[in-house]
């Protein structure tokens, strides 16, 4: 299946969840927000939210500093 990740078309394995996608990308779930098809995915749902062919995902990293 293919998804759009931060504007780029990428291949993903069927049955992939938001949590497993973050793990594949080496991204910690602690300092990110995930938007799936224009809706924010609550962190408590990352391991339950399945991705489907054609989904649009935006991952935003939080950066600290001052």
């Amino acid at each position: 299946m293919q998804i759009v990740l931060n504007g780029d078309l990428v291949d993903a394995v069927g049955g992939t969840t938001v949590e497993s996608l973050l793990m594949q990308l080496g991204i910690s779930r602690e300092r990110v927000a995930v938007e799936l098809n224009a809706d924010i995915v609550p962190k408590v749902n990352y391991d339950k939210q399945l991705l489907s062919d054609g989904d649009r995902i935006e991952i935003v990293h939080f950066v600290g500093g001052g």
Side-chain angles (χ1 to χ4, degrees):
M1 84 177 170
Q2 292 189 318
I3 59 174
V4 179
L5 176 62
N6 292 349
D8 295 323
L9 191 62
V10 297
D11 291 321
V13 177
T16 298
T17 63
V18 169
E19 180 81 19
S20 62
L21 178 64
L22 291 173
M23 288 175 56
Q24 290 172 32
L25 297 171
I27 298 172
S28 171
R29 66 183 286 167
E30 301 308 316
R31 298 186 61 115
V32 297
V34 178
E35 182 181 280
L36 174 61
N37 299 322
D39 291 320
I40 299 293
V41 179
K43 285 188 189 298
V44 296
N45 293 340
Y46 282 8
D47 62 339
K48 300 174 200 105
Q49 181 63 61
L50 290 173
L51 302 179
S52 300
D53 191 44
D55 278 347
R56 299 186 71 81
I57 298 130
E58 295 290 328
I59 299 174
V60 178
H61 297 263
F62 297 109
V63 179

